[in-house]
Amino acid sequence: MQIFKTSKGAVLQLNNQSFLIKEEWDVLINQANLYDHLHSLTKKEVLLHAEEAEDYISNYLLPPIGSQEVWAAGVTYLRSRDARMDESKDSGAADCYQRVYDAERPELFFKALAHRVVGHGGEVYIRKDSEWNVPEPELALYINSGGTIQGYTIGNDMSSRSIEGENPLYLPQAKVYEKSAALGPCLYVPQKPIPLESEIKLVITRDGITMYEASTPINRMKRSLTELATY
């Protein structure tokens, strides 16, 4: 099932039906078993006409986040490790990426507070003091207050590569700034964890022309999703 956060309330979609849920977002999603909780709400919440649901999602959509913080995991792919090492070789810091890739503890870093997050179709920013800025498509996990994964969404971790490449200690400047993170359009809440063969795909278009396209399955990550959530 999918749940969209809108300024009119949460719109829950299941089996081609849409329901309007007025419960406050943080309370609504912070459940020990979010799927079962949302499924139970379909029996008592307001059923929306298809046109109403489309209007809410098209015109009143918000990022699927309440008061949560956004954290990110770095150097989780071998390809990512190699790229970071190459970018940092001139600064003499390439070895730190090899070390964190092989370390027991993963690299986790603060990314954004909720009010700095951009929603679906919104405009992300880049730093004016960075010459090389890249979008990073991410599988975003919704983790409840008990530390368990309850849902998933799409994330964009905008990064200033030229800044981080100068020195890994510049990571906060390269990663944390206004509208540097995007989430949405909704939370996907399945009954079971998503298959590890699921792919993350990025397509960059300019003036209707595809400039770049690539994808990778999440099972290529060195660390499991539950391991990252535990930390």
Side-chain angles (χ1 to χ4, degrees):
M1 67 180 69
Q2 299 172 321
I3 183 165
F4 298 81
K5 184 182 180 184
T6 81
S7 57
K8 300 286 188 178
V11 176
L12 173 63
Q13 292 189 333
L14 175 66
N15 297 330
N16 296 318
Q17 291 184 312
S18 299
F19 304 85
L20 180 63
I21 303 173
K22 291 291 189 177
E23 192 171 7
E24 196 272 327
W25 182 263
D26 283 348
V27 176
L28 172 64
I29 65 171
N30 189 28
Q31 306 293 326
N33 189 318
L34 182 56
Y35 180 89
D36 285 350
H37 177 68
L38 295 177
H39 195 275
S40 69
L41 292 179
T42 62
K43 301 175 182 179
K44 58 184 178 181
E45 295 294 347
V46 177
L47 179 64
L48 292 173
H49 294 295
E51 296 78 8
E52 290 180 296
E54 178 63 28
D55 176 59
Y56 285 13
I57 293 171
S58 297
N59 299 312
Y60 303 98
L61 189 64
L62 299 172
I65 187 171
S67 61
Q68 299 86 17
E69 296 176 346
V70 179
W71 284 70
V75 199
T76 51
Y77 288 91
L78 179 62
R79 181 177 177 181
S80 176
R81 182 207 68 178
D82 293 344
R84 301 298 83 76
M85 291 177 67
D86 183 64
E87 293 165 11
S88 302
K89 60 185 179 183
D90 291 340
S91 68
D95 184 57
C96 76
Y97 292 101
Q98 175 66 61
R99 287 175 178 271
V100 77
Y101 184 80
D102 294 329
E104 179 180 352
R105 177 179 291 274
E107 180 199 10
L108 297 176
F109 57 89
F110 173 77
K111 179 63 182 178
L113 293 173
H115 72 275
R116 287 191 162 188
V117 174
V118 179
H120 177 68
E123 183 181 66
V124 293
Y125 285 177
I126 59 175
R127 290 184 59 117
K128 63 183 180 181
D129 58 346
S130 174
E131 297 177 352
W132 182 22
N133 305 278
V134 298
E136 295 189 27
E138 309 284 2
L139 171 66
L141 311 176
Y142 167 61
I143 304 170
N144 68 6
S145 60
T148 61
I149 300 170
Q150 296 293 317
Y152 310 86
T153 191
I154 300 168
N156 182 3
D157 168 24
M158 290 297 299
S159 300
S160 300
R161 281 275 168 255
S162 56
I163 293 178
E164 184 182 357
E166 290 181 31
N167 193 308
L169 294 179
Y170 294 159
L171 182 68
Q173 298 174 64
K175 294 282 191 176
V176 185
Y177 53 88
E178 182 70 15
K179 297 187 178 182
S180 65
L183 295 174
C186 65
L187 278 187
Y188 171 58
V189 185
Q191 192 169 14
K192 298 179 180 180
I194 59 174
L196 296 181
E197 295 77 22
S198 302
E199 289 190 335
I200 300 172
K201 183 175 182 179
L202 169 69
V203 179
I204 298 177
T205 61
R206 292 176 181 166
D207 297 325
I209 301 174
T210 298
M211 307 299 295
Y212 179 83
E213 182 175 356
S215 64
T216 186
I218 60 176
N219 60 14
R220 295 288 298 275
M221 288 197 301
K222 184 177 188 293
R223 305 175 191 273
S224 71
L225 301 182
T226 52
E227 178 187 357
L228 293 172
T230 298
Y231 279 95

